[in-house]
Amino acid sequence: MLSAFRTCNQVAPLTLAIVAFTLAGCVSGSPRSLQGIVDVGIVGGTATYRERIALPPDATFEAVLEDVSLVDVPAIEIARTSITGASGPPFRFSISYDRARIDPQHSYSIRARILVDGRLLFTTDTSYPVLTRGAGSTVDMAMRMVGEGERGAASASGPQ
């Protein structure tokens, strides 16, 4: 047992040295070598619905981060995440996004929806602001079940 502890104590500093050396090699180049690096941010939260129904196994939960600054213009998608085989609420999600795409003067929100066989079953109908104008990076969202007339085929990227 003591020999295993000594081995771990010898391996850990060696591992740290290798990682530090590797990282130093990544950033020691000219500024041009850093152009491909993206400053990633994360927004996230939970989404739920009130109905007491189970989802079919092929249900897909989607959450989308959007720029909603412009009035009378469709929102601009910044990033999205999806969970295939979503079993039921609450849905916990996180969305990774490129911080360079965020303008502090703009407004951003997250919307969510659940699709089954490409048909819309649940969606948010309230704005959930994030990131700017005093909003944080997490939200707790409520979705509503859509009516029969609203359940037409939903494209994978189109807003609902």
Side-chain angles (χ1 to χ4, degrees):
M1 177 82 166
L2 188 55
S3 64
F5 181 74
R6 286 183 184 149
T7 303
C8 287
N9 280 343
Q10 293 169 351
V11 171
L14 179 60
T15 303
L16 284 175
I18 291 170
V19 170
F21 180 73
T22 303
L23 289 176
C26 289
V27 296
S28 65
S30 68
R32 291 183 151 241
S33 67
L34 298 177
Q35 286 178 347
I37 297 176
V38 175
D39 184 12
V40 176
I42 296 177
V43 292
T46 60
T48 190
Y49 55 80
R50 291 175 37 170
E51 290 79 5
R52 292 182 164 273
I53 62 169
L55 294 175
D58 59 340
T60 300
F61 169 81
E62 295 179 343
V64 182
L65 172 62
E66 299 174 319
D67 183 337
V68 294
S69 302
L70 302 174
V71 178
D72 297 330
V73 176
I76 299 168
E77 182 176 309
I78 303 298
R80 78 172 39 229
T81 191
S82 64
I83 303 168
T84 303
S87 61
F91 303 96
R92 288 175 179 74
F93 65 91
S94 62
I95 304 171
S96 300
Y97 66 93
D98 179 0
R99 288 183 198 264
R101 295 193 63 192
I102 304 302
D103 181 335
Q105 302 304 313
H106 286 204
S107 297
Y108 299 89
S109 70
I110 296 178
R111 70 175 170 84
R113 64 186 187 166
I114 297 174
L115 302 168
V116 177
D117 293 327
R119 298 174 98 47
L120 184 63
L121 187 60
F122 288 92
T123 189
T124 50
D125 61 357
T126 302
S127 178
Y128 293 94
V130 289
L131 300 178
T132 58
R133 302 176 188 257
S137 61
T138 61
V139 292
D140 292 317
M141 301 186 294
M143 295 181 287
R144 68 170 182 83
M145 182 179 253
V146 299
E148 284 297 320
E150 300 172 284
R151 288 193 189 172
S155 70
S157 62
Q160 290 290 327

